[in-house]
Amino acid sequence: MSKDIKIGDVIEKVRSYHPAANVEVIRKAYEFSAKVHQGQKRASGEPYLIHPLAVASIISDLKLDEPSIVGGLLHDTVEDTLTTLDELKSIFGKEITALVDGVTKLSRTNFSSREEKQAENFRKMLGAMGKDVRVILIKLADRVHNMRTLDHMPPDKQILTAQESLDIYAPMAHRLGIAWIKTELEDLSLKYLHPEIYHQLKRNVARKKTDREKYIEEVISVIARKLESEGIEADVTGRPKHFFSIYQKMESQNLLYDQIYDLVGFRVLVDTPREAYEALGIIHSHWRPVSGRFKDYIAVPKPNMYQSLHTSVIGPYGERMEIQIRTHEMHRVAEEGIAAHWRYKEGEDFHVSDIQRYTWLRQLLEWQQNLQDPQEFLHSLKDDLFSEGLYVFTPKGDLLNFPKGSTVIDFAYRIHSDIGLHCSGARVNGQLVSLKYILRSGDTVEIITTPQQVPSRDWLKLVKTPRAKSKIRNWLKAQQRERSVALGREILESDLHRHGMDYGVLRTQGKLQVLPKELGLKDEEALLAALGYGRITARQILVKLVPPEKLEPGHKQPESSLERLFRLASGKIKHLGIRVKGIDDVLVRFALCCHPLPGEHIVGFITRGRGVTVHTVGCPTILESDPHRKIEVTWEENVQAPRPVKIEVSCVDQPGLLAGISAAITSAKANIARAQIRTFTGQKAVNTFEVMIKSSEHLKEVLQNILKVKGVYKAVRARGRTGGTPERDQAAKAEVQ
């Protein structure tokens, strides 16, 4: 596809929507890119220049301006060549250089994990996007071409790139209203994340192509004829739903492909909003609408400014079909989204302030600045990108948008942090409700506060918005820190007293002021907090204050409570295969909430009285904890001790299938410790297996084997406790207290 693209093709497309474009700067950027990328090859073996050309072509499909096209041609020059930003600025100017800088990944290499690097690169990109949204549009074009050519990458890179595209870039395209990029990224991600399902869907869609095309032509003819008879000119189209949307429906409703009926969507484009509503009435008079399936996004647009009428009706042959009705202008915005605002307008310049009505962008930029922890940032970013919206009113009549599932606590924090902090309840539509009340579109909400009310950890289970979550987490962490500082001081005072020393006197003499720096800490409060958390022991402080002879074994004082925490647990470290950075002898245990596997990215959490608890990076439990209590941990080499993992398999309920799944698991040399079978109406079954797994690669092999069994359409690792009990749940929760 990309081999045939020439710079002349890109220039021709730009001129088609911007006849007066400055094409010389585009040619200049092409020549510069060709020079600095000379000799570089892509993974496919093709010249690297093919990639920036393809990216520029995709940007021109979005009908963006010349600086955006030039930014696409130059987007990898700083990252992958010896070109500097200063050099670009001297040749192409400040505006284009800022666009290139925005999409350039951070060059420093001292990241503690891949997740931290990913988070900081996204943070940099979002910061640049706040100044100029064209940054993310160039990045989306870059990602589309990389996904189109992902076949040439190693399998592990394919999976990582596809997952990132599905988690971040496809939802980002959706939030920015660029429908075709969202759809393409989702389908391509499915191809690499679930290849068996993707190719099965492709075969099924191809198998019914003739019947489907006949059905589409028939429905289009009926709609067009009915509208024309009422004096409405309309463009009517129909096409199969894309693979990922079919897969989502199969997964969410436990359906097989043959059990899904609304596989075709129809679109009606008219000239005015009035005609859109008239067309809706005509269609509803001809086909019976499905109750609860009508959405009016014209009266209340989505946060990305998408406008359309959505309805589902019982069409020909009793089949359910979905119809979207909108104006031609609404359709342009639906396809191009925020990029539509960059369409060239004769004599007009685009201003960043023009996109301020995209309130989601403002909110995103606001909370991302307040989240310092990389894992929490990534987790919140994904949550926010995936959330679907609802609309509620303030007592003054202002309309606010929230993700589905939001509660009155989310509303309170949206109004003001202090209102959220002391929120004790609310009046919704004049009726008193509790903090657990889930908002519904159209609600009018008034928050009730009391000075005594403060957040609890349980609030994190109630809220949906990143703003509320980050504010609650920050408050809880501050409380933890205060308690840890007090505990650290108590421990230090007690241990100093045993050696005939006084904490207050040492402070007055200034002997404590130098200790934080020697131990790599910011100040005395950080020293006490670290002692209270268990990051350091009292002995590490005492060796700097007490004469050496008094700390010799013969003069050893009774160990403190936190020194006991770090006492050698015989055989524990070797048995678990975990190495804790900076500590040789420490009790190590695995978290009950996420059950880490060798090969997965992990993080340690210092748990008072329990040593170090190992979690997977991104585990929700660890996201709610104080980052000061995290510690770097790594797997030792060749760890092979099997660990229990819960696997959930959705399949057809038919004889012999359970035996086939069991055989698939054992063929991957994994033992089944426990199994649970649940059947549902419509020949569906969900089987849960507790399997002993050696590593993340072993788990992948087991899941792939299961997916090959005919009749299985979903096999995933079930997160959460494995073989747990309420007591275990409570223990997992206690790990972050």
Side-chain angles (χ1 to χ4, degrees):
M1 185 192 305
S2 58
K3 284 183 179 179
D4 300 326
I5 296 175
K6 308 292 183 186
I7 188 60
D9 301 329
V10 175
I11 289 173
E12 187 177 341
K13 278 204 285 186
V14 173
R15 278 179 166 158
S16 70
Y17 62 85
H18 183 2
N22 178 9
V23 297
E24 291 309 311
V25 71
I26 297 175
R27 284 200 178 94
K28 184 178 178 182
Y30 167 73
E31 291 166 1
F32 183 88
S33 185
K35 182 179 73 173
V36 298
H37 285 299
Q38 188 173 11
Q40 293 182 347
K41 302 283 187 183
R42 300 203 84 212
S44 62
E46 300 169 318
Y48 194 87
L49 185 62
I50 283 174
H51 174 60
L53 258 176
V55 171
S57 180
I58 293 169
I59 293 169
S60 67
D61 290 336
L62 291 170
K63 299 182 174 62
L64 300 189
D65 56 10
E66 302 101 296
S68 303
I69 306 293
V70 172
L73 289 167
L74 302 175
H75 77 277
D76 275 337
T77 55
V78 174
E79 190 173 324
D80 294 336
T81 76
L82 298 176
T83 306
T84 65
L85 290 172
D86 287 339
E87 186 179 357
L88 284 184
K89 189 182 293 185
S90 66
I91 299 173
F92 296 99
K94 185 177 178 181
E95 180 184 10
I96 289 170
T97 303
L99 292 176
V100 175
D101 184 31
V103 296
T104 301
K105 292 178 182 175
L106 295 170
S107 58
R108 69 185 181 92
T109 56
N110 58 332
F111 293 104
S112 62
S113 67
R114 183 182 65 83
E115 284 75 16
E116 184 188 1
K117 182 177 182 179
Q118 184 186 35
E120 293 310 314
N121 278 318
F122 279 129
R123 195 190 299 277
K124 176 179 184 285
M125 184 178 68
L126 288 173
M129 185 178 81
K131 299 173 184 174
D132 196 327
V133 184
R134 289 174 293 182
V135 167
I136 191 62
L137 299 177
I138 295 170
K139 190 64 184 177
L140 284 172
D142 175 44
R143 180 51 59 113
V144 167
H145 186 249
N146 281 333
M147 287 297 293
R148 287 175 180 174
T149 56
L150 200 56
D151 276 339
H152 303 289
M153 301 302 291
D156 58 336
K157 178 70 172 175
Q158 289 177 346
I159 291 172
L160 285 173
T161 304
Q163 192 65 59
E164 185 180 67
S165 298
L166 191 61
D167 287 347
I168 303 292
Y169 290 105
M172 186 77 78
H174 172 63
R175 284 295 195 144
L176 296 173
I178 313 172
W180 70 267
I181 287 185
K182 168 188 177 285
T183 299
E184 184 169 351
L185 288 179
E186 286 178 339
D187 281 355
L188 289 172
S189 296
L190 181 66
K191 176 182 176 181
Y192 294 102
L193 294 175
H194 301 288
E196 298 88 354
I197 294 173
Y198 175 83
H199 291 296
Q200 181 186 351
L201 285 173
K202 196 173 182 179
R203 287 192 297 270
N204 286 337
V205 169
R207 179 165 47 87
K208 297 185 176 182
K209 182 179 180 183
T210 303
D211 291 341
R212 187 177 60 250
E213 287 177 346
K214 183 179 177 183
Y215 177 79
I216 289 174
E217 286 178 11
E218 181 180 343
V219 172
I220 288 175
S221 175
V222 172
I223 294 175
R225 193 168 60 250
K226 288 287 181 184
L227 295 180
E228 187 178 2
S229 68
E230 297 291 337
I232 297 176
E233 289 187 18
D235 292 334
V236 186
T237 56
R239 64 189 179 99
K241 292 188 174 179
H242 64 289
F243 292 160
F244 187 77
S245 68
I246 298 172
Y247 164 72
Q248 278 184 309
K249 181 161 286 191
M250 289 171 60
E251 187 181 49
S252 63
Q253 299 181 19
N254 285 330
L255 297 174
L256 299 176
Y257 178 81
D258 291 335
Q259 295 173 306
I260 300 177
Y261 298 106
D262 52 342
L263 291 169
V264 178
F266 294 90
R267 185 172 294 143
V268 178
L269 302 183
V270 294
D271 290 330
T272 66
R274 180 182 62 80
E275 289 180 335
Y277 287 104
E278 288 177 357
L280 176 72
I282 294 166
I283 290 170
H284 279 182
S285 68
H286 186 70
W287 289 305
R288 181 167 59 86
V290 178
S291 178
R293 298 288 296 169
F294 170 66
K295 298 285 178 59
D296 186 348
Y297 294 118
I298 292 181
V300 184
K302 289 186 176 183
N304 60 12
M305 305 312 295
Y306 173 90
Q307 289 183 287
S308 187
L309 300 175
H310 288 195
T311 187
S312 289
V313 299
I314 306 300
Y317 315 110
E319 289 197 16
R320 179 184 295 191
M321 60 187 191
E322 184 181 287
I323 302 174
Q324 299 174 352
I325 310 168
R326 62 180 77 134
T327 68
H328 292 280
E329 176 62 19
M330 291 172 188
H331 180 63
R332 183 178 71 84
V333 173
E335 289 299 302
E336 300 175 14
I338 202 167
H341 295 286
W342 259 270
R343 184 186 295 276
Y344 178 75
K345 298 175 185 176
E346 192 72 42
E348 294 182 27
D349 291 327
F350 179 87
H351 296 286
V352 176
S353 59
D354 292 347
I355 57 141
Q356 286 304 298
R357 57 193 178 133
Y358 283 78
T359 55
W360 165 76
L361 278 178
R362 296 202 307 272
Q363 294 166 24
L364 176 66
L365 294 168
E366 174 191 332
W367 65 254
Q368 68 92 11
Q369 293 169 357
N370 299 323
L371 297 178
Q372 299 306 314
D373 180 75
Q375 282 76 42
E376 184 179 353
F377 170 75
L378 277 179
H379 189 77
S380 297
L381 177 62
K382 293 172 186 177
D383 274 356
D384 193 62
L385 288 173
F386 273 112
S387 60
E388 289 294 331
L390 55 88
Y391 300 86
V392 297
F393 294 93
T394 68
K396 293 182 179 179
D398 295 328
L399 189 64
L400 300 178
N401 173 257
F402 290 89
K404 283 185 179 177
S406 295
T407 62
V408 293
I409 303 176
D410 289 292
F411 184 94
Y413 274 102
R414 177 73 170 275
I415 301 302
H416 196 279
S417 298
D418 286 342
I419 292 176
L421 180 66
H422 299 296
C423 174
S424 58
R427 286 188 182 88
V428 176
N429 306 323
Q431 300 295 315
L432 285 173
V433 298
S434 71
L435 296 178
K436 295 181 180 179
Y437 178 84
I438 297 175
L439 300 174
R440 293 178 293 187
S441 279
D443 281 345
T444 297
V445 184
E446 179 185 356
I447 298 298
I448 300 170
T449 61
T450 54
Q452 298 78 21
Q453 178 71 59
V454 291
S456 71
R457 188 167 297 279
D458 291 336
W459 282 24
L460 290 168
K461 298 175 184 176
L462 301 177
V463 296
K464 286 288 183 182
T465 57
R467 175 185 174 86
K469 285 181 180 178
S470 66
K471 294 291 183 183
I472 294 167
R473 283 175 180 151
N474 288 341
W475 190 88
L476 293 172
K477 289 169 187 176
Q479 298 304 300
Q480 282 187 12
R481 183 175 178 85
E482 287 179 15
R483 290 196 297 268
S484 294
V485 169
L487 177 60
R489 176 163 180 160
E490 183 182 331
I491 291 169
L492 185 57
E493 285 179 339
S494 175
D495 283 13
L496 288 171
H497 182 71
R498 287 201 299 271
H499 289 84
M501 306 176 78
D502 182 84
Y503 176 82
V505 172
L506 290 172
R507 281 198 72 189
T508 303
Q509 295 173 347
K511 292 184 178 180
L512 294 180
Q513 294 176 358
V514 295
L515 293 180
K517 188 174 181 181
E518 291 180 9
L519 292 170
L521 297 164
K522 183 181 177 182
D523 51 30
E524 185 181 331
E525 183 180 291
L527 175 77
L528 296 176
L531 182 57
Y533 291 137
R535 289 189 68 87
I536 62 173
T537 64
R539 189 173 179 84
Q540 288 175 268
I541 299 174
L542 292 176
V543 294
K544 299 180 182 299
L545 297 172
V546 180
E549 64 274 8
K550 291 188 179 181
L551 288 176
E552 291 300 316
H555 298 84
K556 190 174 180 181
Q557 300 292 327
E559 66 183 357
S560 71
S561 59
L562 287 180
E563 285 178 317
R564 197 175 304 117
L565 183 152
F566 287 103
R567 207 168 30 154
L568 173 62
S570 178
K572 287 280 185 183
I573 301 173
K574 184 176 181 181
H575 175 67
L576 294 181
I578 294 292
R579 185 179 295 112
V580 182
K581 183 179 181 181
I583 305 174
D584 294 328
D585 302 331
V586 59
L587 178 66
V588 175
R589 61 203 300 269
F590 289 112
L592 300 174
C593 46
C594 55
H595 293 276
L597 286 174
E600 291 186 312
H601 295 286
I602 52 176
V603 62
F605 185 78
I606 297 171
T607 310
R608 197 171 294 114
R610 291 187 178 91
V612 173
T613 306
V614 180
H615 293 258
T616 56
V617 168
C619 169
T621 304
I622 206 72
L623 292 174
E624 295 168 9
S625 64
D626 192 328
H628 295 94
R629 289 168 66 183
K630 294 179 186 178
I631 192 167
E632 187 177 333
V633 295
T634 54
W635 295 101
E636 292 184 340
E637 294 182 8
N638 303 317
V639 178
Q640 291 294 322
R643 294 189 43 71
V645 172
K646 188 190 290 184
I647 293 174
E648 192 170 87
V649 181
S650 301
C651 59
V652 182
D653 181 18
Q654 64 184 32
L657 195 58
L658 181 60
I661 296 170
S662 301
I665 294 173
T666 54
S667 68
K669 298 180 181 178
N671 293 326
I672 301 172
R674 187 180 290 111
Q676 180 186 23
I677 294 89
R678 290 173 291 159
T679 58
F680 302 90
T681 56
Q683 287 190 306
K684 291 174 288 190
V686 177
N687 305 323
T688 304
F689 300 90
E690 185 179 310
V691 183
M692 302 307 292
I693 300 292
K694 296 177 183 177
S695 66
S696 57
E697 286 299 313
H698 188 206
L699 174 62
K700 192 162 98 178
E701 181 186 355
V702 170
L703 292 175
Q704 287 175 342
N705 278 13
I706 295 172
L707 284 169
K708 291 176 184 175
V709 178
K710 190 173 181 181
V712 171
Y713 54 88
K714 178 184 173 186
V716 296
R717 177 182 185 179
R719 292 290 177 180
R721 54 192 174 92
T722 303
T725 63
E727 290 75 19
R728 275 192 164 195
D729 266 351
Q730 200 61 33
K733 184 178 178 181
E735 289 173 355
V736 295
Q737 299 300 317

